[in-house]
Amino acid sequence: MTTFTSQVSSIKDQVYNIIRDKIVYLDLRPGERIDENSITGLVGASRTPRREAMMMLEMDGYVNIYPQKGTYVSLIDLNLIREIIYMRYCLELNIFSELASKAVLVFPSIEKYLVMQEYAFKSRDFPEYIDNDYTFHEKLFDLAGHKQIWNMIESKLHLTTRFRILGWQSCPEEFKSTIDEHRHIAECIEKNDIEDLKNTLLLHHDVSLSRYYEFLHNSNPEYFVNT
């Protein structure tokens, strides 16, 4: 019984991750109907783990399930994105300021992820770029002794990823600027320059969504929740 339950759980997680990644990386666009059978057939998922995965995706804000109609990718909720980004900015400002107050040498721990981001930028590999982006921030949380806080917020961050990717697809130069901002964040920490750190984090997280919002909303209004 335990083995069967664990197998169902494992398949459920696989289905969840497959569909979430397709949503996050825009293989499935906001508002698009999901053909569960064709997607979950990749892992041979039966009805039970597939249904459980869809319920989890709905609970986490990735899909909307309409009885007798189908399952659709959720639209982008800008109010939610602003709240998630603001939460992240507040946390990082405080946690990275802790590191800066001690002038912690952070480059030895994060340099390779910046290099890997550069490579992903050149090849336009969005999943690899995002993975190293998040790992950069995770390592700084870890250095400050707050790895558990990162673990608590990481799942919510993916709700902002597809908005960022839409922006990068439209404005590739912003792709590169993110890496430059990462380097500057690390420099501010090592120099104990908290004021510059604050300004850089405001720019990096784009708390006001000024980088992409107007252009994306005008070019693809059907992707967004009406506010």
Side-chain angles (χ1 to χ4, degrees):
M1 184 69 174
T2 302
T3 302
F4 174 75
T5 302
S6 63
Q7 287 176 343
V8 171
S9 178
S10 175
I11 294 173
K12 174 192 68 178
D13 292 340
Q14 289 181 58
V15 173
Y16 177 94
N17 289 329
I18 287 172
I19 297 178
R20 186 198 65 181
D21 286 352
K22 285 183 175 295
I23 292 170
V24 166
Y25 296 113
L26 300 172
D27 292 323
L28 292 169
R29 295 272 167 165
E32 183 176 343
R33 191 178 191 278
I34 298 175
D35 183 349
E36 300 175 23
N37 293 326
S38 64
I39 294 174
T40 57
L42 297 174
V43 292
S46 61
R47 183 178 178 185
T48 297
R50 184 175 66 200
R51 183 175 64 246
E52 291 177 352
M54 287 300 175
M55 290 173 64
M56 287 172 56
L57 287 161
E58 184 176 44
M59 186 180 303
D60 289 346
Y62 294 103
V63 306
N64 297 118
I65 301 173
Y66 301 102
Q68 311 304 319
K69 185 178 179 183
T71 301
Y72 292 78
V73 178
S74 63
L75 299 180
I76 297 173
D77 184 340
L78 289 172
N79 288 330
L80 176 60
I81 287 178
R82 285 191 186 95
E83 291 293 280
I84 294 172
I85 290 175
Y86 182 65
M87 172 190 70
R88 185 178 176 188
Y89 165 74
C90 291
L91 285 171
E92 292 199 354
L93 178 59
N94 282 278
I95 289 171
F96 295 175
S97 292
E98 288 180 18
L99 291 173
S101 68
K102 302 171 186 176
V104 174
L105 296 177
V106 298
F107 270 105
S109 297
I110 54 87
E111 181 66 40
K112 69 176 181 179
Y113 303 107
L114 298 178
V115 172
M116 292 169 72
Q117 268 196 293
E118 291 272 8
Y119 180 80
F121 164 70
K122 292 175 182 177
S123 59
R124 293 185 66 80
D125 185 336
F126 289 114
E128 184 69 15
Y129 187 94
I130 291 293
D131 184 57
N132 285 288
D133 184 320
Y134 285 157
T135 302
F136 166 84
H137 289 270
E138 178 185 0
K139 291 297 179 183
L140 294 180
F141 274 70
D142 196 13
L143 286 170
H146 296 299
K147 176 69 177 296
Q148 291 187 36
I149 293 179
W150 176 264
N151 292 339
M152 286 187 282
I153 69 170
E154 184 179 15
S155 63
K156 290 297 183 185
L157 301 184
H158 288 290
L159 289 169
T160 70
T161 299
R162 59 182 175 161
F163 178 76
R164 295 171 63 197
I165 291 177
L166 277 172
W168 287 336
Q169 288 177 343
S170 304
C171 312
E173 65 277 5
E174 295 291 354
F175 215 145
K176 180 63 168 64
S177 68
T178 300
I179 304 172
D180 297 334
E181 289 158 15
H182 279 166
R183 290 192 179 279
H184 197 62
I185 287 168
E187 290 169 0
C188 289
I189 291 172
E190 292 195 349
K191 293 177 181 178
N192 186 17
D193 191 339
I194 293 177
E195 187 60 31
D196 196 8
L197 174 63
K198 177 181 178 180
N199 293 332
T200 304
L201 285 174
L202 272 173
L203 174 66
H204 185 63
H205 290 305
D206 189 25
V207 176
S208 65
L209 304 186
S210 59
R211 279 179 169 173
Y212 314 127
Y213 167 68
E214 186 173 352
F215 173 79
L216 293 179
H217 193 270
N218 290 338
S219 59
N220 297 106
E222 72 278 8
Y223 287 173
F224 297 88
V225 173
N226 292 325
T227 55

